mmCIF file with all atom_site columns, all heavy atoms in Angstrom:
data_model
loop_
_atom_site.group_PDB
_atom_site.id
_atom_site.type_symbol
_atom_site.label_atom_id
_atom_site.label_alt_id
_atom_site.label_comp_id
_atom_site.label_asym_id
_atom_site.label_entity_id
_atom_site.label_seq_id
_atom_site.pdbx_PDB_ins_code
_atom_site.Cartn_x
_atom_site.Cartn_y
_atom_site.Cartn_z
_atom_site.occupancy
_atom_site.B_iso_or_equiv
_atom_site.pdbx_formal_charge
_atom_site.auth_seq_id
_atom_site.auth_comp_id
_atom_site.auth_asym_id
_atom_site.auth_atom_id
_atom_site.pdbx_PDB_model_num
ATOM 1  N N   . SER A 1 175 ? -12.311 21.341 25.911 1.00 0.00 ? 175 SER A N   1
ATOM 2  C CA  . SER A 1 175 ? -12.455 21.293 24.447 1.00 0.00 ? 175 SER A CA  1
ATOM 3  C C   . SER A 1 175 ? -11.587 22.299 23.741 1.00 0.00 ? 175 SER A C   1
ATOM 4  O O   . SER A 1 175 ? -11.394 22.325 22.450 1.00 0.00 ? 175 SER A O   1
ATOM 5  C CB  . SER A 1 175 ? -13.916 21.637 24.066 1.00 0.00 ? 175 SER A CB  1
ATOM 6  O OG  . SER A 1 175 ? -14.263 22.961 24.312 1.00 0.00 ? 175 SER A OG  1
ATOM 7  N N   . PHE A 1 191 ? -23.343 29.990 39.413 1.00 0.00 ? 191 PHE A N   1
ATOM 8  C CA  . PHE A 1 191 ? -22.005 29.591 39.840 1.00 0.00 ? 191 PHE A CA  1
ATOM 9  C C   . PHE A 1 191 ? -20.910 29.856 38.821 1.00 0.00 ? 191 PHE A C   1
ATOM 10 O O   . PHE A 1 191 ? -19.730 29.865 39.112 1.00 0.00 ? 191 PHE A O   1
ATOM 11 C CB  . PHE A 1 191 ? -22.075 28.129 40.369 1.00 0.00 ? 191 PHE A CB  1
ATOM 12 C CG  . PHE A 1 191 ? -23.207 27.715 41.243 1.00 0.00 ? 191 PHE A CG  1
ATOM 13 C CD1 . PHE A 1 191 ? -24.362 27.253 40.707 1.00 0.00 ? 191 PHE A CD1 1
ATOM 14 C CD2 . PHE A 1 191 ? -23.032 27.960 42.574 1.00 0.00 ? 191 PHE A CD2 1
ATOM 15 C CE1 . PHE A 1 191 ? -25.436 26.978 41.547 1.00 0.00 ? 191 PHE A CE1 1
ATOM 16 C CE2 . PHE A 1 191 ? -24.026 27.604 43.368 1.00 0.00 ? 191 PHE A CE2 1
ATOM 17 C CZ  . PHE A 1 191 ? -25.208 27.104 42.938 1.00 0.00 ? 191 PHE A CZ  1
ATOM 18 N N   . ILE A 1 252 ? -24.709 31.843 51.711 1.00 0.00 ? 252 ILE A N   1
ATOM 19 C CA  . ILE A 1 252 ? -24.251 32.598 50.490 1.00 0.00 ? 252 ILE A CA  1
ATOM 20 C C   . ILE A 1 252 ? -25.429 32.522 49.500 1.00 0.00 ? 252 ILE A C   1
ATOM 21 O O   . ILE A 1 252 ? -26.381 31.775 49.497 1.00 0.00 ? 252 ILE A O   1
ATOM 22 C CB  . ILE A 1 252 ? -22.965 31.847 49.953 1.00 0.00 ? 252 ILE A CB  1
ATOM 23 C CG1 . ILE A 1 252 ? -23.130 30.377 49.789 1.00 0.00 ? 252 ILE A CG1 1
ATOM 24 C CG2 . ILE A 1 252 ? -21.806 32.161 50.759 1.00 0.00 ? 252 ILE A CG2 1
ATOM 25 C CD1 . ILE A 1 252 ? -23.803 30.030 48.508 1.00 0.00 ? 252 ILE A CD1 1
ATOM 26 N N   . ASP A 1 303 ? -41.055 33.681 20.182 1.00 0.00 ? 303 ASP A N   1
ATOM 27 C CA  . ASP A 1 303 ? -40.698 32.884 18.958 1.00 0.00 ? 303 ASP A CA  1
ATOM 28 C C   . ASP A 1 303 ? -41.909 33.045 17.991 1.00 0.00 ? 303 ASP A C   1
ATOM 29 O O   . ASP A 1 303 ? -42.942 32.465 18.154 1.00 0.00 ? 303 ASP A O   1
ATOM 30 C CB  . ASP A 1 303 ? -40.536 31.387 19.324 1.00 0.00 ? 303 ASP A CB  1
ATOM 31 C CG  . ASP A 1 303 ? -40.076 30.633 18.163 1.00 0.00 ? 303 ASP A CG  1
ATOM 32 O OD1 . ASP A 1 303 ? -40.360 30.989 17.007 1.00 0.00 ? 303 ASP A OD1 1
ATOM 33 O OD2 . ASP A 1 303 ? -39.361 29.664 18.341 1.00 0.00 ? 303 ASP A OD2 1
ATOM 34 N N   . VAL A 1 380 ? -62.250 31.665 30.100 1.00 0.00 ? 380 VAL A N   1
ATOM 35 C CA  . VAL A 1 380 ? -61.441 30.332 30.053 1.00 0.00 ? 380 VAL A CA  1
ATOM 36 C C   . VAL A 1 380 ? -60.183 30.518 30.702 1.00 0.00 ? 380 VAL A C   1
ATOM 37 O O   . VAL A 1 380 ? -59.420 31.246 30.306 1.00 0.00 ? 380 VAL A O   1
ATOM 38 C CB  . VAL A 1 380 ? -61.368 29.817 28.639 1.00 0.00 ? 380 VAL A CB  1
ATOM 39 C CG1 . VAL A 1 380 ? -60.535 28.568 28.542 1.00 0.00 ? 380 VAL A CG1 1
ATOM 40 C CG2 . VAL A 1 380 ? -62.713 29.612 27.904 1.00 0.00 ? 380 VAL A CG2 1
ATOM 41 N N   . ASN A 1 404 ? -72.302 26.241 34.693 1.00 0.00 ? 404 ASN A N   1
ATOM 42 C CA  . ASN A 1 404 ? -72.387 27.548 34.042 1.00 0.00 ? 404 ASN A CA  1
ATOM 43 C C   . ASN A 1 404 ? -71.701 27.416 32.632 1.00 0.00 ? 404 ASN A C   1
ATOM 44 O O   . ASN A 1 404 ? -70.484 27.093 32.630 1.00 0.00 ? 404 ASN A O   1
ATOM 45 C CB  . ASN A 1 404 ? -71.710 28.586 34.893 1.00 0.00 ? 404 ASN A CB  1
ATOM 46 C CG  . ASN A 1 404 ? -71.892 30.004 34.292 1.00 0.00 ? 404 ASN A CG  1
ATOM 47 O OD1 . ASN A 1 404 ? -71.774 30.215 33.102 1.00 0.00 ? 404 ASN A OD1 1
ATOM 48 N ND2 . ASN A 1 404 ? -72.141 30.928 35.160 1.00 0.00 ? 404 ASN A ND2 1
ATOM 49 N N   . PHE A 1 428 ? -57.413 39.151 27.090 1.00 0.00 ? 428 PHE A N   1
ATOM 50 C CA  . PHE A 1 428 ? -56.518 38.244 27.870 1.00 0.00 ? 428 PHE A CA  1
ATOM 51 C C   . PHE A 1 428 ? -56.097 39.036 29.010 1.00 0.00 ? 428 PHE A C   1
ATOM 52 O O   . PHE A 1 428 ? -55.539 40.067 29.089 1.00 0.00 ? 428 PHE A O   1
ATOM 53 C CB  . PHE A 1 428 ? -55.345 37.930 26.905 1.00 0.00 ? 428 PHE A CB  1
ATOM 54 C CG  . PHE A 1 428 ? -54.612 36.647 27.389 1.00 0.00 ? 428 PHE A CG  1
ATOM 55 C CD1 . PHE A 1 428 ? -54.914 35.568 26.995 1.00 0.00 ? 428 PHE A CD1 1
ATOM 56 C CD2 . PHE A 1 428 ? -53.538 36.796 28.279 1.00 0.00 ? 428 PHE A CD2 1
ATOM 57 C CE1 . PHE A 1 428 ? -54.232 34.365 27.398 1.00 0.00 ? 428 PHE A CE1 1
ATOM 58 C CE2 . PHE A 1 428 ? -52.829 35.750 28.683 1.00 0.00 ? 428 PHE A CE2 1
ATOM 59 C CZ  . PHE A 1 428 ? -53.112 34.527 28.250 1.00 0.00 ? 428 PHE A CZ  1
ATOM 60 N N   . MET A 1 493 ? -61.400 46.196 33.079 1.00 0.00 ? 493 MET A N   1
ATOM 61 C CA  . MET A 1 493 ? -62.257 45.155 32.457 1.00 0.00 ? 493 MET A CA  1
ATOM 62 C C   . MET A 1 493 ? -63.474 45.880 31.798 1.00 0.00 ? 493 MET A C   1
ATOM 63 O O   . MET A 1 493 ? -63.914 45.612 30.770 1.00 0.00 ? 493 MET A O   1
ATOM 64 C CB  . MET A 1 493 ? -62.621 43.957 33.301 1.00 0.00 ? 493 MET A CB  1
ATOM 65 C CG  . MET A 1 493 ? -61.409 43.096 33.653 1.00 0.00 ? 493 MET A CG  1
ATOM 66 S SD  . MET A 1 493 ? -61.897 41.766 34.753 1.00 0.00 ? 493 MET A SD  1
ATOM 67 C CE  . MET A 1 493 ? -62.904 40.832 33.526 1.00 0.00 ? 493 MET A CE  1
#
Side-chain angles (χ1 to χ4, degrees):
S175 70
F191 308 94
I252 50 87
D303 187 332
V380 176
N404 185 316
F428 197 88
M493 291 183 68

